[in-house]
Amino acid sequence: MFTARKIRLDELPETRRLFSLAFEFPFPEGADIPDPEAFARKMIDESRDRAEKFWEETWAAFTETGEMAAYFSALPYTQYFDGQTVPMMGIGGVSSLPQHRRGGAIRRCFEGALRDMYERGTLFSYLYPFNEKFYGKFGYARCCDQMLWTLDMTRLPSGDYPGTFHLYDGGEDLSAFQAVYEACAPRYNGMIRREEYDWAKVRDAKPFENTRYGYLYRNREGRPTGYMVFKKTPELAMDCSEFLFTDREALDALTGFATRFAAYYKTLCFCAPADLDLSYYCDNYAHSLSARQLITNGMTRVVNVRRALELARYRGSGRAVIAVDDAMLPENSGAFRVEFEDGKALSVQPTTDAPDAELPIGAFSAALMGCLPVEQMVWRPDVAVHCPEAVAPVFYRKPNWICNHF
């Protein structure tokens, strides 16, 4: 039997030892740390990582003898949802000792963390799974897929662009890159409002030190509208860890600029929202190196159903009764009558009315984020849609994307 709680500062090094065992990464300090609290403070002071900065949000499960059996971090983020920002917790570093796996240690951590999130007003939680079925037990569902584009350099248009490109060489001010991101992010459910520690991929572009390149595009007015950060792979791919653009001109400029490297690269590779069709950049998939691949990009969970329905964006005006089943947070279970007008909720109340749709919390979470519209929902064996016309303005396709934040 395990008990779960948030860790103390002196237990932070033990979570890193556990992580090293679970994922077979070296922990140079080994097992003997004479002063764990002092070592933990050193970790925090030297780190640019969110997990160290918010160490107190780490949950761990302990055996009856006090051994740390498992842990994860529940890290605070601000997420975009239907045109507004809401609190989200990103789950990371999920680790357990092999001898304690399948014993319920991680479940104990989720029970404590989800309860804490609910009571603190967190609206969503997000994670990248090692196994979707495993996290589905805790109410998480696949969400915010993205498309990985591999474009043949010889097939890309190499037209001129009206703006200019600037090479970032490490240590420069990132405000122009941040302006591009902040123009893009609010368009998509799931994107986060980035903070300092979320810019590592751009900040670590140091062409003369690690051959990682970051280029910023400014349009003819001098406004930053796109950027790309990439590294060459052994297959001669321009592998972009960041590829963002605010408009069609910036997209064309980025792809056109990439062709100037065609003597040394074969393909341009980057991820984009799954609903953005860029296939016009390839005129022949059969006889080129171009390809596209749908990438599963994490799982989401609504933490507070009623509050999420109050903040959601609807289509037009109407009324719907949504029944949700949440085994982890009983407050979310039951039917809610939603009345909305001109796209906004007027009232969300518990009700005994017959539901127009019945969903487990995972399906509800994906649907409200815009990943599971009603026309697909009707094919799900775990969902019952009794009145598609009533719930169609609630659950419809919305732009969503997660740009690999944690």
Side-chain angles (χ1 to χ4, degrees):
M1 188 66 175
F2 302 99
T3 58
R5 59 170 172 80
K6 291 184 178 181
I7 65 168
R8 303 187 308 265
L9 178 60
D10 64 293
E11 292 168 330
L12 179 59
E14 182 62 21
T15 65
R16 298 303 175 260
R17 291 181 64 252
L18 201 161
F19 183 86
S20 73
L21 287 172
F23 291 95
E24 300 183 352
F25 286 108
F27 187 68
E29 290 74 18
D32 184 21
I33 301 175
D35 190 340
E37 185 169 326
F39 183 76
R41 293 189 186 280
K42 184 172 182 289
M43 290 172 61
I44 295 168
D45 291 341
E46 295 179 353
S47 177
R48 295 185 301 177
D49 185 83
R50 185 185 289 261
E52 259 70 65
K53 299 299 183 185
F54 293 97
W55 66 268
E56 67 269 26
E57 300 295 348
T58 296
W59 285 81
F62 298 86
T63 66
E64 294 178 352
T65 62
E67 180 185 24
M68 186 183 294
Y71 92 96
F72 62 66
S73 296
L75 306 176
Y77 289 84
T78 299
Q79 174 187 305
Y80 290 99
F81 170 63
D82 283 4
Q84 58 209 300
T85 56
V86 298
M88 181 267 279
M89 284 286 192
I91 305 298
V94 181
S95 308
S96 57
L97 294 176
Q99 62 268 34
H100 294 301
R101 289 173 187 165
R102 302 178 186 175
I106 292 296
R107 174 174 288 276
R108 285 282 181 252
C109 291
F110 269 110
E111 288 172 350
L114 287 169
R115 171 57 52 195
D116 183 63
M117 291 181 209
Y118 187 93
E119 293 175 355
R120 291 167 56 178
T122 303
L123 198 66
F124 287 95
S125 180
Y126 207 90
L127 56 80
Y128 291 99
F130 79 94
N131 183 302
E132 292 185 12
K133 185 176 180 180
F134 176 81
Y135 289 106
K137 296 184 296 185
F138 311 124
Y140 290 82
R142 183 187 304 171
C143 185
C144 300
D145 290 345
Q146 61 185 351
M147 193 71 73
L148 172 61
W149 293 92
T150 299
L151 301 177
D152 191 325
M153 285 283 194
T154 65
R155 302 283 178 157
L156 286 173
S158 54
D160 294 331
Y161 40 81
T164 59
F165 277 90
H166 168 72
L167 171 66
Y168 174 79
D169 63 2
E172 294 181 47
D173 176 45
L174 291 177
S175 58
F177 289 86
Q178 292 165 344
V180 175
Y181 181 89
E182 290 165 6
C184 295
R187 304 173 183 175
Y188 301 102
N189 282 351
M191 293 284 272
I192 67 160
R193 190 172 63 196
R194 284 186 175 178
E195 299 179 57
E196 177 189 355
Y197 15 76
D198 301 312
W199 284 96
K201 291 179 181 177
V202 178
R203 191 172 52 239
D204 292 341
K206 302 174 182 178
F208 306 109
E209 181 179 324
N210 57 16
T211 63
R212 184 180 298 277
Y213 304 91
Y215 283 93
L216 174 77
Y217 177 69
R218 294 181 182 272
N219 64 14
R220 58 167 57 91
E221 288 81 27
R223 182 167 54 88
T225 57
Y227 71 82
M228 60 197 298
V229 177
F230 64 88
K231 191 173 180 66
K232 183 188 290 185
T233 71
E235 296 76 27
L236 303 184
M238 181 180 283
D239 185 20
C240 296
S241 57
E242 298 259 329
F243 191 91
L244 288 176
F245 45 89
T246 63
D247 53 31
R248 175 61 188 271
E249 180 203 296
L251 172 59
D252 287 342
L254 290 171
T255 55
F257 181 68
T259 66
R260 302 195 176 193
F261 296 79
Y264 307 101
Y265 294 81
K266 292 183 178 180
T267 56
L268 168 65
C269 302
F270 61 90
C271 286
D275 61 350
L276 181 59
D277 185 7
L278 303 180
S279 57
Y280 50 79
Y281 278 113
C282 177
D283 57 7
N284 195 330
Y285 283 109
H287 297 92
S288 76
L289 298 175
S290 295
R292 54 185 174 178
Q293 179 184 1
L294 187 66
I295 303 294
T296 298
N297 201 26
M299 303 178 77
T300 192
R301 189 199 205 280
V302 169
V303 178
N304 189 317
V305 167
R306 183 172 180 177
R307 184 59 178 154
L309 287 169
E310 290 172 345
L311 295 177
R313 180 184 294 161
Y314 301 89
R315 282 182 166 171
S317 304
R319 173 188 176 278
V321 177
I322 310 298
V324 179
D325 179 30
D326 187 347
M328 302 291 289
L329 290 170
E331 295 92 332
N332 288 332
S333 291
F336 297 87
R337 183 178 64 250
V338 185
E339 298 177 2
F340 51 96
E341 184 176 292
D342 295 330
K344 296 182 179 180
L346 296 177
S347 173
V348 179
Q349 298 293 334
T351 183
T352 57
D353 295 351
D356 297 309
E358 300 175 76
L359 307 87
I361 185 63
F364 171 82
S365 302
L368 204 64
M369 282 281 281
C371 303
L372 183 63
V374 67
E375 58 268 22
Q376 295 181 12
M377 193 182 296
V378 296
W379 297 97
R380 290 273 298 251
D382 58 340
V383 175
V385 180
H386 306 293
C387 184
E389 296 79 9
V391 297
V394 181
F395 302 129
Y396 57 93
R397 180 69 68 185
K398 304 174 185 176
N400 53 80
W401 189 29
I402 289 283
C403 190
N404 293 333
H405 302 306
F406 52 94

